[in-house]
Amino acid sequence: MVDMTTIEGLCKRRGFIYRSSEIYGGFNGFFDYGPLGVELKNNIKAAWWQDFVQRREDMVGLDSSIIMHPNIWKASGHVEGFSDPMVDCKESKLRFRADQLFFAKVEVDSETIGYVSVLEDGAMQKEAEDKAAALKRKLAKQGSLGEIVLKNYMDAKPFEYELIPSPATGNAGTLTPPRDFNLMFQTYVGALRDETAVAYLRPETAQGIFANFKNVIDTSRVKVPFGIAQIGKAFRNEITPRNFIFRSREFEQMEIEYFISPHADWKKLHREWIDCCKQWFVSIGIPADALGEDIHPQEKLAHYAKACTDITCNFPHGLQELQGIAVRGNFDLTQHQNASGKALEYFDEAIKEKYLPHVIEPSLGVDRTFLAVMSAAYAEDEVPNDKGEAEKRTFLKFHPRVAPFKAAVFPLVKNKPEIFDRSREIFKRLQNRWNVFFDATGAIGRRYRRQDEIGTPFCITVDFETVEGNGSVTLRERDSTKQIRLSVDEVVKYIEDAGA
RNA sequence: GCGGGCAUAGUUUAGUGGUAGAACAUCUGUUUUCCAAGCAGAUUGUGACAGUUCGAUUCUGUCUGCCCGCACCA
């Protein structure tokens, strides 16, 4: 597997991805897609939209706003769930969730001799009492130990932060006060900057779908089972964005909420979605053997989820999640129905029954898909140069469907007007249909290599035979470097048949 | 967020308390009848902000970013 540094370097050098705000020193967790990157990214999104929305009868699309009513995030659980106050131990460098850290005052004959701390678990009361007894022995105090009353660290008084020992080291004074790490970006809507004006940038696109569920069933004649798909930006204030675009603070998701009857065989449908999504990855050039499945064990699932399977992919930094496919029951619709007070039930004509549909949620990161496509496409081989010596070649074997340029057109030489003009004509013709590139600079071999490195599947060269002979051109194939002679009409068909 | 390392052109790098040098890439011209050729020329850099100094890319500090670990996270 190619390493991340190589991918990052290539992305930068060829204009796929730049670090955001680079002229100001960069901005951690944000990236900009350059001229080739935006093409590849758009092609990935278009392929997904075509395959999952336009070419299916049971799917419709949606594009909801990024900033929505703040109550949506309260109902979905994001306001609470995405903001866990954390406590750092400055000595051991460990970090704890404040709500899972407990402490108690230790008293002997009503005199406070110190504090003990424990992490939340079933036996924490006994652990705290043992620690208190140990502390009493250590300080050689006589008398009777007072009752150990555990309190949550969140409820500690400011002066107590200095006195509570770290559960990791037992030493006091090393813990920080609880600090907020809200993963949602906040902003204010309207002129006033008070609590009532707080709004959030969405941390996922899914809630926009749930919030519009009633609108869609009322206006688009869909019948369960059906899905709503959405592609859009999402924002998470990640503590440590890392691994290039794999985890960033602003990213793009392609999400589906597929609504099914509560009586449906969800296990079977879940399996079908997993297979369907995997096939789609293969169809855009990610090899099947790079993909895996990570089935979440029951105890790791959110309380409302019935199952969740991640489709994993072999990334430069290891086997990591590419797409999560969860079976979520009807938790979200229930939450929004209760919070909004609006009935969101669907009336199923077939069985004359009203219900809140359950959902299967395939959720995919565009940027992760980009990285997966890029890594899978990266290849090196050796090609003989004009002296017949083998020379290293770097190329991207993109599937024609996602390749930024579908083809490049070259005049073999640029100082022969007939050849040059003819190549411009052919270029213009192809450009009407596809994103194609024209290059007349440098030796022909150099032009081929430049296209190889940005993953252009075909190069079309106009030579003397084109203008003096039967008008045929050469079509050179990227992966094999083989050339064939074709008429221009045949070239169009060839590119079309390749799936561009 | 914590600890450690790092920061010179688009990339890889050399060097210095006194005007920063190369290779590759890019661009122009020329040449070229199919795989990074040749020739001539050109553009581009000390991450940012302070401090010490007559003078800082070099020394010091702060910030920013990157890499590695921890922690966190889907």
Side-chain angles (χ1 to χ4, degrees), chain A residues 126-412:
Chain A
K126 181 169 185 310
E127 191 189 339
E129 284 165 8
D130 291 347
K131 281 186 173 175
L135 181 66
K136 182 185 163 205
R137 277 197 304 280
K138 188 177 156 202
L139 297 175
K141 290 283 179 187
Q142 301 300 316
S144 56
L145 204 55
E147 192 193 347
I148 298 299
V149 183
L150 283 175
K151 282 162 69 180
N152 191 271
Y153 194 77
M154 300 282 284
D155 303 323
K157 299 192 172 63
F159 74 88
E160 290 179 312
Y161 296 139
E162 282 297 306
L163 303 171
I164 298 169
S166 161
T169 63
N171 299 328
T174 67
L175 293 180
T176 63
R179 293 185 287 192
D180 246 345
F181 288 97
N182 195 324
L183 291 185
M184 280 200 293
F185 284 99
Q186 262 189 28
T187 187
Y188 299 89
V189 173
L192 285 177
R193 296 208 146 222
D194 59 17
E195 276 304 300
T196 64
V198 168
Y200 304 96
L201 303 192
R202 65 183 176 199
E204 61 172 39
T205 56
Q207 295 306 321
I209 297 178
F210 292 121
N212 281 291
F213 174 73
K214 191 165 166 41
N215 280 336
V216 173
I217 54 173
D218 285 349
T219 57
S220 65
R221 305 182 62 208
V222 288
K223 285 197 178 68
V224 169
F226 75 98
I228 304 177
Q230 169 159 230
I231 299 179
K233 287 275 177 102
F235 305 82
R236 288 182 199 174
N237 203 356
E238 297 285 353
I239 298 167
T240 312
R242 213 171 268 194
N243 294 318
F244 197 33
I245 54 170
F246 185 81
R247 172 170 293 124
S248 53
R249 289 182 165 135
E250 174 176 337
F251 58 104
E252 201 159 9
Q253 293 185 306
M254 304 191 278
E255 288 198 304
I256 293 169
E257 298 300 338
Y258 193 75
F259 297 94
I260 60 173
S261 155
H263 312 298
D265 181 355
W266 60 266
K267 284 185 177 158
K268 177 167 165 281
L269 291 164
H270 189 212
R271 185 69 246 169
E272 284 173 10
W273 271 104
I274 296 167
D275 293 338
C276 172
C277 291
K278 283 173 93 168
Q279 278 163 26
W280 184 76
F281 290 127
V282 173
S283 81
I284 58 162
I286 299 170
D289 60 16
L291 298 169
E293 286 177 32
D294 178 23
I295 299 164
H296 290 211
Q298 205 64 35
E299 63 271 18
K300 260 186 70 187
L301 294 174
H303 63 90
Y304 49 80
K306 288 183 171 170
C308 183
T309 297
D310 288 344
I311 296 179
T312 57
C313 180
N314 194 13
F315 284 100
H317 60 297
L319 200 63
Q320 297 280 333
E321 176 191 346
L322 175 58
Q323 178 169 33
I325 303 175
V327 183
R328 288 174 69 94
N330 58 12
F331 172 79
D332 301 274
L333 286 179
T334 305
Q335 289 294 106
H336 289 305
Q337 177 164 273
N338 293 341
S340 68
K342 301 284 189 308
L344 300 179
E345 286 161 315
Y346 169 83
F347 183 72
D348 192 328
E349 286 286 355
I351 55 170
K352 307 288 181 209
E353 187 185 320
K354 227 182 215 185
Y355 56 72
L356 284 176
H358 290 210
V359 291
I360 293 173
E361 180 190 80
S363 169
L364 172 62
V366 176
D367 312 82
R368 286 183 182 189
T369 310
F370 186 109
L371 185 58
V373 167
M374 197 83 193
S375 323
Y378 186 89
E380 289 173 2
D381 67 357
E382 292 196 333
V383 168
N385 64 15
D386 64 340
K387 297 178 195 71
E389 300 154 344
E391 221 171 305
K392 191 184 134 192
R393 174 179 78 131
T394 298
F395 64 111
L396 294 173
K397 44 182 191 190
F398 288 136
H399 188 285
R401 198 172 178 199
V402 297
F405 290 112
K406 309 306 178 192
V409 181
F410 310 145
L412 183 59

Side-chain angles (χ1 to χ4, degrees), chain A residues 79-124:
Chain A
V79 171
E80 285 204 1
F82 264 52
S83 55
D84 297 323
M86 305 299 294
V87 182
D88 285 321
C89 169
K90 286 180 273 194
E91 190 181 1
S92 66
K93 308 303 173 199
L94 291 175
R95 165 174 288 171
F96 312 100
R97 274 176 59 175
D99 61 332
Q100 292 176 351
L101 179 60
F102 289 81
F103 73 99
K105 199 189 280 185
V106 181
E107 289 178 326
V108 172
D109 292 341
S110 301
E111 179 206 351
T112 302
I113 63 164
Y115 284 80
V116 292
S117 66
V118 289
L119 292 173
E120 180 170 33
D121 78 31
M124 64 178 178

